């Protein structure tokens, strides 16, 4: 008689209580745990409100100055499996990925409303919705959404953009890129709405090219540039948007032109069966960037594929450097920002891997 999303107790062989979790008969993970306490948990909203409020206060305490865009709830990482909420100033965007999370929708909206959020949106994959719609407006009105990150202004396409509308997990990595960008010629591949490009320009980059296959994304990139007083950079060609396939551009671009290249592609694999194919894709773009970046130049390279481990990603970049016959030094190991922290008991939550490498010359 147990249904998808029901709260169940996990017991030891002797009947003693071990944990509480959401039951999901349609998943290979039958129960997603949210509490290890002995007492019955989760069956009243007071439990969830108390838990959510504690998480909210923790996240707010960890935010950098002049930042109001962050991940409020990070699924298993925050002990709320299947539940993702990203905050953009006074707007909250939900993703409910499991039957247990979906059962919490009403209470979650009530909680967010009580915390002062003026707009609440639910995002979902179109294939999950019988009408093929990608979002629902649960509170407020749909308007152009602005938020701050390290004092930099951004617009986010919350209803129609990728994920919840913006990649908040790269916040600290963008700040690091700003430190290296002064007087550099920068290529930002898979640029999406241009956040890395804006950090580079605001920190004195000499020239920035934002490259993406989506014109709609690059149009928003240029809006973000203008929002930060970078209109002149567009007019003078100091910033240029390139609507092209990143693989093709990397293959055909001039060798030695760029001092700094950003490789931040979408996930090349979402299941174990395609890891080898994805590894070849990551190796290809890294080999091209390593081969063609200026000698002494930098590559910020990332994988957001959960099934590509940090160790495998380093081996992929090692293989790319070997095949490119280049001397490469690792300067930084990168990961997602602290508001996307993961549970030690759920290592899969460490999905974002990154390296900053310096290419010193031929072997």
């Amino acid at each position: 008689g147990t249904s998808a999303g029901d709260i169940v107790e996990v017991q030891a062989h002797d009947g003693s209580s071990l944990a509480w979790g959401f039951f999901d008969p349609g998943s290979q993970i039958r129960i997603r745990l949210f509490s290890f306490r002995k007492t019955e948990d989760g069956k009243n909203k007071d439990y969830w409100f108390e838990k959510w409020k504690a998480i909210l206060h923790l996240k707010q305490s960890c935010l950098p100055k002049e930042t109001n865009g962050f991940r409020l709830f990070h699924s298993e990482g925050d002990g709320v499996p299947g539940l993702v909420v990203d905050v953009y100033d006074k707007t909250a965007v939900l993703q409910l990925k499991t039957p247990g999370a979906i059962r919490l929708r009403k209470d979650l909206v009530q909680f967010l409303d009580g915390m002062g959020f003026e707009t609440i949106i639910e995002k979902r994959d179109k294939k999950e919705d019988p009408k093929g719609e990608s979002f629902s407006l649960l509170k407020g009105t749909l308007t152009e959404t602005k938020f701050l990150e390290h004092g930099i202004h951004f617009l986010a396409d919350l209803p129609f953009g990728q994920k919840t509308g913006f990649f908040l997990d790269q916040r600290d990595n963008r700040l690091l890129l700003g430190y290296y960008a002064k007087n550099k010629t920068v290529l930002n591949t898979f640029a999406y709405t241009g956040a890395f490009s804006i950090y580079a320009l605001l920190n004195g980059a000499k020239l920035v090219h934002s490259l993406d296959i989506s014109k709609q994304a690059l149009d928003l990139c240029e809006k973000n540039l203008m929002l930060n007083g970078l209109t002149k950079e567009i007019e003078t060609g100091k910033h240029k948007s390139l609507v092209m396939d990143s693989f093709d551009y990397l293959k055909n671009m001039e060798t030695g032109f760029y001092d700094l290249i950003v490789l931040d592609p979408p996930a090349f694999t979402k299941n174990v069966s395609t890891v080898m194919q994805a590894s070849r894709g990551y190796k290809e773009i890294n080999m091209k960037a390593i081969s063609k970046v200026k000698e002494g130049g930098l590559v910020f390279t990332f994988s957001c594929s959960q099934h590509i481990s940090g160790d495998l990603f380093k081996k992929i970049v090692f293989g790319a450097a070997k095949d490119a016959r280049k001397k490469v030094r690792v300067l930084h190991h990168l990961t997602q920002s602290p508001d996307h922290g993961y549970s030690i008991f759920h290592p899969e939550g460490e999905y974002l891997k990154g390296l900053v490498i310096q290419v010193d010359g031929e072997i």
Side-chain angles (χ1 to χ4, degrees):
T2 307
S3 302
D6 282 354
I7 292 173
V8 295
E9 183 183 20
V10 181
Q11 297 180 344
H13 69 281
D14 61 0
S16 60
S17 179
L18 294 175
W20 299 86
F22 293 115
F23 180 62
D24 186 359
S27 170
Q28 287 184 320
I29 302 173
R30 285 291 187 267
I31 302 173
R32 295 178 184 270
L33 304 180
F34 60 80
S35 172
F36 292 91
R37 299 196 305 189
K38 302 297 183 187
T39 55
E40 184 175 355
D41 273 337
K43 293 191 176 181
N44 64 75
K45 69 180 181 182
D46 290 341
Y47 167 84
W48 293 107
F49 276 37
E50 180 183 330
K51 186 169 193 170
W52 292 337
K53 195 169 184 178
I55 296 168
L56 173 59
H57 289 159
L58 174 64
K59 297 296 179 76
Q60 289 175 329
S61 71
C62 296
L63 285 180
K65 292 180 180 179
E66 297 185 274
T67 298
N68 57 22
F70 63 98
R71 175 149 294 181
L72 171 53
F73 300 141
H74 186 52
S75 197
E76 282 87 356
D78 288 319
V80 285
L83 198 162
V84 170
V85 177
D86 283 343
V87 168
Y88 301 90
D89 194 11
K90 295 295 185 181
T91 297
V93 185
L94 327 180
Q95 289 182 307
L96 307 177
K97 298 173 176 290
T98 62
I102 290 168
R103 286 216 179 180
L104 292 173
R105 181 191 287 118
K106 183 179 178 181
D107 290 341
L108 179 60
V109 171
Q110 184 182 346
F111 170 80
L112 294 170
D113 183 38
M115 292 295 106
F117 289 98
E118 296 170 1
T119 302
I120 303 173
I121 299 169
E122 182 181 349
K123 289 286 296 285
R124 55 187 173 272
D125 292 336
K126 288 185 179 180
K127 63 184 179 182
E128 296 174 355
D129 188 273
K131 297 180 180 179
E133 296 176 348
S134 61
F135 73 95
S136 296
L137 182 63
L138 304 179
K139 182 195 173 187
T141 56
L142 277 181
T143 57
E144 202 167 50
T145 305
K146 296 179 183 179
F147 68 99
L148 280 172
E149 180 181 283
H150 294 300
I152 299 173
H153 299 270
F154 286 105
L155 289 168
D157 183 359
L158 305 187
F160 303 108
Q162 295 182 41
K163 301 295 183 181
T164 65
F166 199 85
F167 292 108
L168 298 166
D169 52 3
Q170 289 279 22
R171 181 178 65 231
D172 294 346
N173 301 328
R174 288 190 278 264
L175 189 66
L176 179 66
L177 177 129
Y179 295 145
Y180 284 107
K182 189 174 179 62
N183 296 323
K184 298 288 196 304
T185 300
V186 177
L187 172 65
N188 181 15
T189 67
F190 308 96
Y192 191 41
T193 55
F196 276 110
S197 302
I198 291 165
Y199 273 82
L201 287 166
L202 290 174
N203 284 277
K206 182 167 59 178
L207 176 72
V208 176
H209 288 165
S210 298
L211 173 67
D212 201 281
I213 202 166
S214 167
K215 184 179 185 304
Q216 182 180 353
L218 291 176
D219 286 345
L220 189 52
C221 166
E222 297 202 354
K223 284 186 179 180
N224 281 324
L225 285 161
M226 291 185 279
L227 195 62
N228 288 283
L230 297 169
T231 305
K232 186 178 178 181
E233 280 70 9
I234 300 172
E235 294 171 348
T236 61
K238 189 174 180 179
H239 175 271
K240 188 174 182 181
S241 296
L242 304 172
V243 184
M244 292 182 64
D245 179 270
S246 293
F247 281 89
D248 292 341
Y249 188 86
L250 287 165
K251 181 179 178 181
N252 298 313
M253 73 184 187
E254 179 184 345
T255 300
F257 182 77
Y258 295 105
D259 301 295
L260 193 159
I261 298 174
V262 180
L263 302 176
D264 185 22
F268 287 165
T269 177
K270 295 186 178 180
N271 57 70
V272 175
S273 64
T274 56
V275 164
M276 289 305 295
Q277 179 182 341
S279 298
R280 288 192 291 271
Y282 285 119
K283 184 176 180 182
E284 180 183 345
I285 60 171
N286 278 278
M287 189 168 69
K288 295 301 182 188
I290 290 169
S291 297
K292 297 196 173 186
V293 73
K294 188 178 290 185
E295 186 170 333
L298 301 176
V299 179
F300 278 63
T301 180
F302 299 94
S303 165
C304 64
S305 299
Q306 176 182 311
H307 298 287
I308 302 290
S309 68
D311 182 58
L312 175 57
F313 186 61
K314 282 190 282 186
K315 288 176 179 175
I316 290 168
V317 176
F318 167 82
K322 174 178 173 291
D323 288 358
R325 300 190 60 78
K326 294 284 188 177
K327 290 181 285 186
V328 169
R329 295 191 306 136
V330 176
L331 305 186
H332 299 275
H333 290 82
L334 306 178
T335 187
Q336 59 240 40
S337 55
D339 49 325
H340 292 67
Y342 64 96
S343 168
I344 201 73
F345 304 116
H346 184 255
E348 300 91 337
E350 188 186 14
Y351 64 92
L352 182 63
K353 283 77 57 176
L355 298 171
V356 180
I357 59 175
Q358 183 172 41
V359 182
D360 291 328
E362 292 187 357
I363 295 174

